Amino acid sequence: MTYRIAPSILAADFARLGEEVKNVIAAGSDWIHFDVMDNHYVPNLTFGPMVCQALKPHAKTPAGVAVPIDVHLMISPVDALAEQFADAGADTISFHPDAAGHVHRSIQVIKSKGVKAGLVFNPAEPLDVLDWVIDDIDLVLIMSVNPGFGGQSFIDSALRKIEDVRRRITASGKDIRLEVDGGIKVDNIRRAADAGADTFVAGSAIFGKPDYKSVIDAMRAQLAA
């Protein structure tokens, strides 16, 4: 299993966002996770496509290799802003099925822009829709907190949901990333991996510490254990 660590810039210093992206990539990040909240689907307001576009040139390793921008849309409606984020440089765009009027159409909108598409499931949300679109997506994101705020505690029932999704991905035979977001820290990342996750979003666990590399290294050590 190839594991990926995707720091969420929701927990970064907004006054130094470009610098924060560069620093966390230099510390060993695989992806940059970009949380988009609209104060409608969730009770908070964060970044728009212009911020994504401004950060795109900073999302590179010190050697100049581009690092994927992983956009998580917590917005309703989905399609128009999904297109704008695709144009702004997003590499993957994920959305919540209950925020979209027509889930398959929203997936098609994202894929038509040459961007990978993902579905996001909240802690109490059933997975039924996944059976109908699993052949069309590139990523499943399981929320291990309720969306809308950073710094929340991990909800243990998410582990059962990760296991369920991993079974469905294996049965599909497709190369689909299984991402988990919410309360991920050094002391629980291994449990999420054991349940079947391969991509880990971490916000305050990384950006809340003075040394990003030491945290990411500790996470990788847990994943290698």
Side-chain angles (χ1 to χ4, degrees), residues 36-172:
V36 182
M37 304 181 188
D38 65 354
N39 195 34
H40 169 65
Y41 179 72
V42 291
N44 209 338
L45 187 65
T46 59
F47 319 100
M50 288 185 291
V51 178
C52 181
Q53 186 173 22
L55 287 180
K56 184 71 173 178
H58 298 272
K60 294 179 180 175
T61 68
V65 178
V67 171
I69 294 180
D70 174 36
V71 172
H72 170 200
L73 297 180
M74 289 167 269
I75 64 168
S76 181
V78 171
D79 296 5
L81 269 176
E83 288 187 286
Q84 291 180 42
F85 272 99
D87 292 338
D91 295 280
T92 303
I93 298 175
S94 303
F95 66 93
H96 293 254
D98 60 326
H102 302 278
V103 173
H104 189 265
R105 181 180 295 161
S106 296
I107 292 168
Q108 288 178 313
V109 165
I110 295 168
K111 302 280 275 191
S112 72
K113 305 292 282 187
V115 173
K116 293 179 178 179
L119 286 186
V120 191
F121 293 91
N122 289 328
E125 190 171 10
L127 295 168
D128 302 6
V129 68
L130 189 56
D131 294 327
W132 303 101
V133 296
I134 197 163
D135 289 335
D136 302 300
I137 60 175
D138 305 283
L139 178 143
V140 177
L141 171 53
I142 299 302
M143 295 301 296
S144 43
V145 297
N146 288 296
F149 299 95
Q152 300 181 69
S153 297
F154 187 89
I155 297 173
D156 282 344
S157 61
L159 295 171
R160 285 188 286 118
K161 188 169 283 186
I162 292 168
E163 290 171 352
D164 195 342
V165 175
R166 175 52 65 190
R167 285 192 293 268
R168 293 172 193 231
I169 290 173
T170 300
S172 77

